[in-house]
Amino acid sequence: MKRIRFKHQSKIELLPVFLMAASVRLTSLGVFRVVDEEDRWAWAVDLFRAALAGNLPGTLIGDGYPGVFPAWLETIWLLAAALARSVRQGGWIGEGGVYLLIHDWGRWSNLAWQRFPIALANTALVAAIFWYARRLFGPRVAWLAAILISLDPFLLSDSRVNRAEALLTGLMVLSLLALLAWHRRADRRHLLVSGIVGGLAWLTKSQAIVLLPMFGAINLVWLWRQDLPVWELIRRWAGLMLAWAGLAALTFVALWPAVWVVPGDTFRLMLKFATRKVGAEGVNLFFGGRTLVDTDPGLLFYPAILLLRITPVTLLGLLAGLGLLGERLFQTRRLFTRKWLDAGGVWALVLYALLYTGGMSLGSHKQGRFLMSIFPALDLLAALALVRFVQWQQWSARRGQ
């Protein structure tokens, strides 16, 4: 009996983690409003109606964001509601019933109904990140990280609304952790998860394309650390990147029917959006004591946002991690700190955060919420550093006895 309980313990622990994340994400969803939500809801309505009518060109929604995965979540939610109403009245509600459903839920008084599927997905992503963190770093780190991620106010605020940033954040970090799990265990299922989730991130927001060069760098460093011959390293790296990119691209195409029938129009719309957002158009910020309109706030913007948005506990954990790294650099307790740095690919989390921040800083169109995608990685690093710091203190105390 004990053996069965231990075997399934990580799965059992998913429930309390899910409930913890849900308690702050799925409650009081209609108490505030944010910009952009009305547009996102309109895109979901367009996709829902196009899907019901079998109108594949009509699934070319939005402005190239693309925002397709969030729209699918809303579409599934609307379909479930339409089917429930159909069961109650004894037959399909028809176009008139669909119109009434959308009209009812489109009112601001029913804002919670619009937000629910996105908030539910963000809750599930916290649980999925916990599951992978547990496999990579152990239960203590995973639990502390789950608490930090669940309650991180920067991530939490966007996890409760119908926008893409929090969803993109969870998908990108989950894809990274699945990739690290594949490197550690060579289980193809993890690579499959990483590629599919990466494709969902691309469908959520076009900036997820940065996963390709970032994962390219992380995979190259990981293979390089194995002391492989040069040509073998290149062969493995190229094969891995082709497999990951192929899975992501297949997911992207499979879940956006517009790509099947009007690929030219679809990619032109995305390219137009991307090229427009590379510049400073749409920037409207107060930063450095002045209002910035259509102006690049500069390279200090994201470091400042990081200091303003990070929680004291996460900051404390990162400082503890720097302290452990300092011990490594000064070659005292080298074995212990090197084990900490290598455990589960901690360096890959650091590289992910640095590369993403650096890449986003190169563009002129900057918004504070764009930095959100590194915060779960920082929470994970902080959790791991805090746990390791306590272990280091205990280890030092035993050596001093």
Side-chain angles (χ1 to χ4, degrees), residues 80-257:
L83 292 175
R85 291 191 179 192
S86 298
V87 170
R88 288 198 297 269
Q89 76 172 28
W92 173 243
I93 58 176
E95 179 60 30
V98 168
Y99 172 81
L100 290 176
L101 170 63
I102 292 171
H103 177 70
D104 289 343
W105 281 18
R107 294 175 177 173
W108 281 108
S109 58
N110 286 321
L111 186 59
W113 291 110
Q114 297 179 23
R115 290 173 168 172
F116 180 80
I118 307 299
L120 180 63
N122 285 323
T123 302
L125 283 170
V126 174
I129 289 171
F130 164 80
W131 189 81
Y132 266 108
R134 196 183 190 283
R135 294 177 70 89
L136 290 167
F137 308 118
R140 294 179 181 178
V141 172
W143 268 103
L144 181 53
I147 294 171
L148 293 177
I149 293 171
S150 294
L151 304 180
D152 190 311
F154 191 27
L155 179 60
L156 176 59
S157 63
D158 223 77
S159 297
R160 294 161 40 80
V161 299
N162 187 9
R163 289 203 304 193
E165 271 71 29
L167 196 60
L168 175 70
T169 295
L171 291 170
M172 289 177 63
V173 173
L174 180 59
S175 182
L176 171 65
L177 295 180
L179 182 67
L180 299 184
W182 181 84
H183 275 295
R184 289 193 64 192
R185 301 176 185 273
D187 188 330
R188 292 181 180 178
R189 292 175 297 178
H190 298 312
L191 183 60
L192 184 67
V193 169
S194 180
I196 291 174
V197 172
L200 295 179
W202 288 357
L203 281 169
T204 299
K205 198 171 182 184
S206 55
Q207 74 190 57
I209 197 67
V210 299
L211 286 177
L212 200 55
M214 288 197 305
F215 283 9
I218 289 170
N219 288 331
L220 185 62
V221 173
W222 197 295
L223 294 171
W224 173 74
R225 287 161 59 89
Q226 297 178 14
D227 296 324
L228 298 170
V230 174
W231 287 112
E232 179 67 10
L233 185 153
I234 294 174
R235 185 187 67 82
R236 289 194 186 185
W237 178 84
L240 176 57
M241 290 305 300
L242 284 173
W244 187 92
L247 286 168
L250 183 62
T251 303
F252 182 92
V253 172
L255 293 182
W256 199 356

Side-chain angles (χ1 to χ4, degrees), residues 2-3 56 122 131 182 364:
K2 290 183 179 179
R3 183 180 177 184
L56 298 187
N122 285 323
W131 189 81
W182 181 84
S364 299

Side-chain angles (χ1 to χ4, degrees), residues 210-333:
V210 299
L211 286 177
L212 200 55
M214 288 197 305
F215 283 9
I218 289 170
N219 288 331
L220 185 62
V221 173
W222 197 295
L223 294 171
W224 173 74
R225 287 161 59 89
Q226 297 178 14
D227 296 324
L228 298 170
V230 174
W231 287 112
E232 179 67 10
L233 185 153
I234 294 174
R235 185 187 67 82
R236 289 194 186 185
W237 178 84
L240 176 57
M241 290 305 300
L242 284 173
W244 187 92
L247 286 168
L250 183 62
T251 303
F252 182 92
V253 172
L255 293 182
W256 199 356
V259 180
W260 313 346
V261 290
V262 284
D265 293 342
T266 303
F267 289 114
R268 273 194 296 270
L269 184 65
M270 290 187 64
L271 181 62
K272 182 179 178 181
F273 177 85
T275 52
R276 190 174 77 246
K277 292 302 181 181
V278 168
E281 178 186 333
V283 174
N284 189 359
L285 301 167
F286 183 80
F287 178 69
R290 57 197 180 100
T291 301
L292 303 175
V293 179
D294 295 335
T295 302
D296 186 347
L299 294 177
L300 293 179
F301 179 72
Y302 284 128
I305 291 297
L306 176 62
L307 292 175
L308 290 171
R309 297 294 190 179
I310 198 169
T311 65
V313 176
T314 300
L315 181 59
L316 180 64
L318 294 177
L319 292 175
L322 288 175
L324 289 174
L325 183 60
E327 291 287 335
R328 165 72 174 89
L329 294 176
F330 285 107
Q331 297 185 352
T332 58
R333 302 176 180 88

Side-chain angles (χ1 to χ4, degrees), residues 314-365:
T314 300
L315 181 59
L316 180 64
L318 294 177
L319 292 175
L322 288 175
L324 289 174
L325 183 60
E327 291 287 335
R328 165 72 174 89
L329 294 176
F330 285 107
Q331 297 185 352
T332 58
R333 302 176 180 88
R334 176 171 181 159
L335 180 62
F336 183 87
T337 49
R338 180 169 184 176
K339 183 180 179 182
W340 168 79
L341 194 60
D342 289 347
V346 177
W347 61 267
L349 292 174
V350 176
L351 189 58
Y352 167 85
L354 292 175
L355 288 176
Y356 183 83
T357 304
M360 295 303 295
S361 296
L362 295 177
S364 299
H365 185 88

